[in-house]
Amino acid sequence: MSRSLLTVILAAGKGTRMRSNLPKVLHRIAGRSMLGHVLARAKSVGGDKLAVVVGPGMDAVRKEATAAVPDAAVYVQENQAGTADAVLAAREAIAAHKGDLLVLFADTPLITKETLEALIGELDRGAAVAVLGFYARDPGSYGRLLTSVDGTLLAIREAKDASPAEREVKLCNSGVMAFRLDSPIAVLDKIGNANAKGEFYLTDAIEIVRSQGGRAGVVVCEEDEVLGVNARRELAQAEAIWQRRAREQAMDEGVTLISPETVWFSFDTALARDVVVEPNVFFGPGVTVDEGAEIKANSYLEGARVGAGARVGPYARLRQGAVLGRDVHIGNFVEVKNVALGDGAKANHLSYLGDGSVGAKANIGAGTIFCNYDGFFKSKTEIGEGAFVGSNSSLVAPVKIGAGAYIGSGSVITKNVEADALALERSSQEERPGWAAKFRIMMARRKVQASGK
Ligand code: UD1
Ligand code: CA
């Protein structure tokens, strides 16, 4: 795209139908706020300038915008007097901008890059304003796109202002619009509020642009892309659409999903070729899985990196900072947090590995616990290459186990262990020959006496 693009994202709606203490646009889809999705999309089409319009007191929304895009300009719309009034809250940015103007709604997070490019392409084909439309299964309260017999867009009519005949129209306004005008401000300033809601409608820009001799174009997309989220049910619908797309994309890129509909992705999940994901796996934000790794059923991963050929699960939990080298095995009921495991290391059963490192080819026995927290500070457990930690050991951090060392099962290790040493911390075993047989005879007699027979 050659021309400079200013994107104005409308996020001022309170979203009362969400019944939430959180502003609507901060509700998440695939682990990222709706606003975050829309900001990322705007960036992806080369939007070099971004303005976000928020409502009064929406500091959390402002923060989210500037955290995602530090140079985004944030404007406050004082009274929610309609979509045109909302766009004009960014008057300063629009007036200063030479180039195209794109308006997106922060509660419409599923638009694809291709669709936005097609919309901007309509400007390249000579339209002064381009509207993203869709055929609605149930047009309900959407604005209707009124076209002439040859398909030219004449006007957009809000449902509340539409005649019964106009309401029959199925082609609806998504709300997304792009403008290529010398002065968008001059058009926006002409919009009045003489309508059913007494609001300044952005949609009125169509007739104004046309009256000045400009062409209004329509680009049609799938209804799924322009689902507007106003309530929790729609949030769940948007999530479902997003997940379906992510699953299809993963499979197209060479990932095997045995039961795709049971695998949940985050916005940034990255799975390489020939990764196999078994049923019921949840990927929280920040997960990367390298080639050929296998994520077995019922595992939960977030903030983790899984090396090529590694095997995780079933029933594993990888948390922030879990970094698995090549061919690492993490088995059932093993939790890993902030621990790097070298190539070929194994922890196959029932363990907590928190804060530290495990050398290549080390073996962590069943039930091993890294005791990383004393109630005040977190400390590290460092295990050398090829070490063998016997089952049911507690490693009290800070502690270092040297390369190749053995830890006897059931030990509570509080001191560093040298390389290739055996460390054993448990009382020595006693044996009394014949004791059990005598014990059984004695107890059986007592039972007979007690029953009085
Ligand atoms: C709008 C469109 C309608 C379209 C529909 C698609 C207008 C007049 N109508 O209607 O044609 O079919 O979206 O979903 O544009 N907003 C503000 N400040 C305001 C008003 C709205 O920031 O004063 C923001 C909202 O937060 C929301 C977006 O603009 O993100 C749309 O506003 P909403 O009131 O939901 O418009 P609709 O009635 O749905
Ligand atoms: Ca809406």
Side-chain angles (χ1 to χ4, degrees):
M1 217 209 44
S2 48
R3 297 181 53 132
S4 169
L5 177 66
L6 167 66
T7 306
V8 177
I9 298 173
L10 305 191
K14 283 197 280 286
T16 41
R17 285 178 54 216
M18 296 296 282
R19 306 201 192 286
S20 175
N21 295 329
L22 194 67
K24 175 168 77 173
V25 301
L26 296 187
H27 282 262
R28 291 171 181 274
I29 290 169
R32 168 147 80 177
S33 70
M34 290 196 271
L35 176 61
H37 281 279
V38 175
L39 284 164
R41 182 54 72 238
K43 278 252 150 190
S44 76
V45 291
D48 48 349
K49 293 185 209 162
L50 289 178
V52 180
V53 177
V54 305
M58 286 188 175
D59 291 338
V61 179
R62 174 189 295 270
K63 260 198 197 146
E64 175 84 354
T66 49
V69 183
D71 59 351
V74 180
Y75 298 92
V76 177
Q77 182 193 22
E78 292 299 339
N79 303 302
Q80 289 190 24
T83 45
D85 180 68
V87 175
L88 276 171
R91 177 185 290 273
E92 186 190 80
I94 298 167
H97 173 69
K98 299 264 169 294
D100 295 340
L101 173 65
L102 175 66
V103 177
L104 301 176
F105 292 172
D107 68 355
T108 306
L110 298 173
I111 296 173
T112 63
K113 182 170 181 239
E114 292 68 32
T115 294
L116 284 186
E117 278 167 352
L119 191 72
I120 293 161
E122 185 62 18
L123 300 180
D124 293 332
R125 284 188 293 276
V129 53
V131 176
L132 184 61
F134 65 101
Y135 288 95
R137 285 180 282 267
D138 171 16
S141 62
Y142 286 119
R144 309 298 202 268
L145 300 187
L146 307 182
T147 52
S148 66
V149 265
D150 67 354
T152 307
L153 178 62
L154 304 174
I156 303 178
R157 192 78 73 236
E158 288 307 292
K160 281 201 171 159
D161 301 294
S163 67
E166 288 169 343
R167 244 177 256 148
E168 290 300 307
V169 172
K170 295 268 184 286
L171 182 57
C172 291
N173 176 27
S174 70
V176 176
M177 277 189 212
F179 299 89
R180 183 169 291 176
L181 295 167
D182 291 333
S183 173
I185 290 286
V187 170
L188 294 168
D189 274 337
K190 284 205 175 73
I191 293 173
N193 65 347
N195 52 53
K197 282 192 180 169
E199 283 187 1
F200 296 87
Y201 292 163
L202 181 61
T203 47
D204 286 354
I206 304 302
E207 283 163 286
I208 296 167
V209 168
R210 282 178 47 78
S211 73
Q212 295 175 348
R215 180 169 79 79
V218 182
V219 167
V220 175
C221 73
E222 291 297 319
E223 182 166 10
D224 275 358
E225 282 191 48
V226 287
L227 173 73
V229 174
N230 299 308
R232 307 261 183 170
R233 289 184 191 209
E234 289 150 356
L235 185 69
Q237 273 174 26
E239 179 82 41
I241 294 166
W242 194 97
Q243 292 295 341
R244 176 168 48 71
R245 281 190 198 161
R247 292 165 189 145
E248 286 169 356
Q249 190 184 334
M251 291 187 283
D252 289 348
E253 289 170 357
V255 173
T256 295
L257 302 179
I258 294 176
S259 176
E261 62 285 1
T262 68
V263 176
W264 296 82
F265 293 102
S266 278
F267 67 97
D268 60 352
T269 306
L271 307 184
R273 244 165 191 271
D274 291 322
V275 165
V276 175
V277 183
E278 290 188 354
N280 298 321
V281 171
F282 187 93
F283 292 99
V287 176
T288 304
V289 182
D290 293 341
E291 274 195 22
E294 223 177 312
I295 312 298
K296 294 182 157 289
N298 300 303
S299 294
Y300 190 111
L301 294 80
E302 61 190 319
R305 173 154 206 131
V306 177
R311 211 170 69 197
V312 174
Y315 296 99
R317 176 157 184 221
L318 301 186
R319 293 169 54 199
Q320 203 62 44
V323 179
L324 280 48
R326 292 182 83 89
D327 301 318
V328 163
H329 290 182
I330 296 295
N332 40 256
F333 307 107
V334 175
E335 175 179 349
V336 182
K337 184 213 68 173
N338 197 24
V339 170
L341 290 103
D343 295 352
K346 289 180 187 161
N348 272 325
H349 331 268
L350 304 159
S351 288
Y352 173 59
L353 315 183
D355 299 311
S357 58
V358 175
K361 296 242 161 80
N363 194 312
I364 310 294
T368 297
I369 305 293
F370 288 13
C371 307
N372 63 328
Y373 187 50
D374 56 14
F376 297 91
F377 299 104
K378 301 253 168 90
S379 304
K380 283 191 173 165
T381 300
E382 291 162 74
I383 296 178
E385 284 189 17
F388 186 96
V389 178
S391 296
N392 200 29
S393 298
S394 300
L395 308 177
V396 182
V399 70
K400 290 183 187 173
I401 312 294
Y406 263 68
I407 306 297
S409 296
S411 298
V412 177
I413 299 296
T414 53
K415 289 180 272 189
N416 291 349
V417 177
E418 253 179 46
D420 293 321
L422 166 68
L424 203 54
E425 190 284 332
R426 64 189 186 214
S427 31
S428 49
Q429 189 169 325
E430 238 186 279
E431 186 165 324
R432 304 181 191 174
W435 182 94
K438 284 184 214 157
F439 178 76
R440 274 192 294 270
I441 292 167
M442 178 184 80
M443 293 309 272
R445 272 191 204 136
R446 273 195 206 171
K447 204 167 182 184
V448 171
Q449 282 164 3
S451 70
K453 282 177 197 161

